[in-house]
């Protein structure tokens, strides 16, 4: 097998390891916590997910587009900026945690303390990707998976959200140390320059906008339910979506590896045919996985999510429908990225804000179930608009950084 093929396999396996870590962290936390404890943990984890996505967009996505002999210096700069920025944000979160009362405040305080460890450890994945050495990212992320499962697995039942967050964060230390060791040969003797990240016009600023409207808005809306409504709503929604983690691996892999393949197809018709077929496959898998989860006996579901299963299981039909239409929407956006890259931003802005509106409106009218169906309706609207836009577009030359 070629070097490129091995790198692609390592990248997919690394994505799977990272996704498995997120899934197992939430499953273990749900099993160890009461429903209210998992709600506090979920609010903190949603906050971390937003910050992780922002770092990926601002630092990671711009870094992986770099080529040439200067990538080592750029990787060192990216790691340095991630460490400095995460320490600053962590200090703010710790201060917020000191102000907030009770278990929620303790959980946010713990997140602030460990944020530099977990964000820098994850950020090294993009350094290795830019350096075309994904097998090194896989080694560090596999160790991260083993350490976090082992650390959370020995925690007592009923452990507080703050304790679980602290254990989860500190368990990143071995993987972080390994990642820095594996990165050292590529950055030794290179100077870090953080100034480009602070300048207006940095490429990551565009990616942050796309993340904010495409993913971060819905995450923040879910977090808002915990602030203005009830943390139990966040726990139920997070518990339901956790069970669909394997599909996130497929969606992320499609986003990572489909554009180069689609770019080699001849013409709009061939591209649309390929993405439509992929979309139907992903939609079928989403609906089928949702049906399998809904059919699980309560004792099996409780063994996965503990006390949270009762609330999360009622949301599985809505979440299954959401993931089915997300498969179609993902492939519509893939088609646009290849054929008309400038068309995606406006689509993301309009329909992501619509998704937030129907999520909050659904909660106001029908509670947590309404919020879950609101997410599904928002995803369906984005998928429909995406494919309608595909049908109307005329192919345009893709810019060099579009892939």
């Amino acid at each position: 097998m070629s070097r490129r093929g091995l790198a692609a396999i390592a990248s997919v396996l690394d994505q799977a390891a990272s996704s498995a870590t997120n899934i197992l962290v939430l499953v273990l936390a749900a099993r160890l916590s009461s429903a209210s404890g998992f709600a506090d943990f979920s609010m903190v984890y949603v906050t971390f997910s937003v910050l992780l996505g922002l770092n990926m967009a601002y630092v990671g996505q711009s870094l992986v587009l770099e080529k040439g002999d200067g990538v080592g210096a750029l990787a060192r700069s990216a790691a340095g900026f991630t460490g400095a920025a995460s320490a600053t944000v962590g200090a703010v979160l710790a201060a917020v945690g000191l102000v907030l009362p009770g278990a929620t405040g303790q959980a946010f305080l713990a997140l602030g303390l460990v944020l530099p460890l977990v964000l820098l450890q994850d950020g090294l994945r993009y350094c290795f990707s830019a350096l075309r050495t994904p097998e090194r990212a896989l080694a560090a992320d596999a160790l991260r998976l083993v350490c976090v499962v082992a650390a959370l697995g020995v925690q007592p039942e009923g452990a507080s959200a703050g304790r679980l967050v602290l254990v989860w964060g500190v368990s990143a230390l071995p993987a972080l140390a390994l990642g820095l060791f594996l990165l050292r040969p590529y950055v030794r003797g290179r100077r870090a320059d953080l100034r480009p990240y602070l300048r207006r016009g940095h490429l990551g600023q565009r990616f942050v906008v796309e993340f904010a409207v495409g993913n971060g808005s819905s995450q923040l809306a879910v977090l808002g339910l915990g602030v203005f409504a009830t943390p139990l709503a966040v726990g139920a929604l997070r518990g339901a979506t956790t069970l669909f983690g394997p599909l996130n691996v497929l969606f992320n892999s499609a986003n990572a590896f489909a554009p180069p393949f689609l770019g080699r197809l001849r013409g709009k018709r061939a591209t649309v045919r390929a993405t439509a077929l992929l979309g139907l496959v992903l939609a079928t898998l989403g609906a089928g996985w949702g049906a399998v989860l809904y059919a699980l006996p309560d004792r099996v579901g409780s063994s996965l999510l503990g006390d949270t299963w009762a609330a999360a299981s009622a949301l599985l039909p809505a979440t299954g429908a959401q993931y089915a239409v997300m498969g179609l929407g993902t492939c519509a956006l893939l088609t646009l990225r290849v054929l008309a890259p400038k068309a995606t931003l406006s689509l993301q802005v309009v329909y992501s804000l619509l998704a937030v509106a129907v999520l909050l409106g659904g909660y106001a009218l029908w509670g947590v179930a309404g919020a879950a169906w609101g997410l599904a309706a928002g995803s369906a609207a984005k998928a429909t608009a995406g494919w309608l836009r595909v049908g109307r577009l005329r192919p345009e030359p893709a810019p060099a950084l579009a892939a």
Side-chain angles (χ1 to χ4, degrees):
M1 184 178 292
S2 67
R3 165 69 182 170
R4 183 176 296 179
L6 290 173
I9 291 174
S11 296
V12 172
L13 291 176
D14 180 51
Q15 179 61 54
S18 178
S19 297
T21 300
N22 292 330
I23 294 168
L24 291 174
V25 164
L26 289 165
V27 167
L28 288 170
R31 292 181 63 180
L32 291 168
S33 307
S34 64
S36 61
F38 184 66
D40 289 329
F41 184 89
S42 295
M43 288 186 64
V44 169
Y45 209 79
V46 169
T47 303
F48 164 71
S49 298
V50 172
L51 294 173
L52 181 67
L54 289 173
N55 185 66
M56 173 200 69
Y58 195 79
V59 181
Q61 288 189 6
S62 59
L63 177 62
V64 298
L65 296 175
E66 300 290 350
K67 299 178 182 178
D69 296 334
V71 174
L74 293 171
R76 183 164 194 160
S77 301
F81 179 81
T82 298
S86 60
T88 302
V89 176
V92 174
L93 285 173
V96 170
L98 291 173
V99 174
L100 291 176
T104 302
Q106 294 174 4
F108 275 99
L109 173 61
L111 177 62
L113 294 176
V114 302
L115 188 68
L117 301 179
V118 291
L119 276 190
L120 182 55
Q121 191 277 319
D122 188 87
L124 294 180
R125 297 169 56 210
Y126 301 96
C127 296
F128 291 123
S129 179
L131 292 165
R132 307 297 188 265
T133 57
E135 66 280 359
R136 297 189 176 223
L138 174 59
D141 286 336
L143 179 60
R144 169 65 168 143
L145 173 60
V146 171
C147 290
V148 74
V149 170
L152 289 176
V154 298
Q155 298 307 304
E157 188 172 350
S160 68
R163 174 171 176 163
L164 293 178
V165 171
L166 197 61
V167 170
W168 159 74
V170 173
S171 68
L173 273 172
L176 175 58
L178 176 61
L180 292 174
F181 174 78
L182 294 175
L183 183 66
R184 189 170 177 232
Y186 298 93
V187 301
R188 185 189 296 118
R190 307 294 182 97
R191 293 184 59 185
D193 185 5
L194 308 188
R195 290 173 297 177
Y197 290 101
L198 304 176
R199 292 173 185 157
R200 184 176 181 181
H202 173 62
L203 184 60
Q205 293 168 9
R206 175 175 179 175
F207 295 141
V208 163
V209 173
E210 290 225 18
F211 168 80
V213 298
N215 299 290
S217 57
S218 60
Q219 295 272 27
L220 288 172
V222 171
L223 188 61
L225 292 180
V227 175
F228 299 108
T230 168
L232 293 176
V234 180
L237 287 169
R238 195 66 180 180
T241 55
T242 296
L243 298 174
F244 286 81
L247 291 178
N248 289 329
V249 176
L250 294 178
F251 291 168
N252 291 335
S253 296
N255 280 316
F257 298 107
F261 168 76
L262 295 172
R264 293 195 293 267
L265 298 179
R266 295 183 178 181
K268 172 185 172 182
R269 181 174 298 180
T271 300
V272 172
R273 186 183 299 118
T275 53
L277 178 60
L278 178 60
L280 289 173
V281 171
L282 292 178
T284 302
L285 288 173
W289 186 245
V292 168
L293 292 174
Y294 191 66
L296 286 179
D298 286 340
R299 59 180 180 80
V300 177
S302 297
S303 69
L304 292 173
L305 294 181
D307 293 342
T308 303
W309 168 255
S313 61
L315 307 182
L316 290 176
T319 307
Q322 179 193 357
Y323 271 82
V325 294
M326 278 174 61
L328 295 171
T330 295
C331 291
L333 292 175
L334 279 175
T335 311
L336 292 172
R337 169 169 280 194
V338 173
L339 298 178
K342 295 180 181 179
T344 58
L345 182 57
S346 60
L347 193 69
Q348 290 273 44
V349 169
V350 173
Y351 286 93
S352 294
L353 294 178
L354 175 64
V356 171
V358 292
L359 180 152
L360 297 176
Y363 182 82
L365 293 174
W366 299 293
V368 181
W373 282 110
L375 284 172
S379 296
K382 183 187 291 188
T384 301
W387 282 110
L388 289 174
R389 183 70 178 87
V390 169
R392 293 195 307 266
L393 64 81
R394 293 181 178 180
E396 64 182 56
L401 295 181

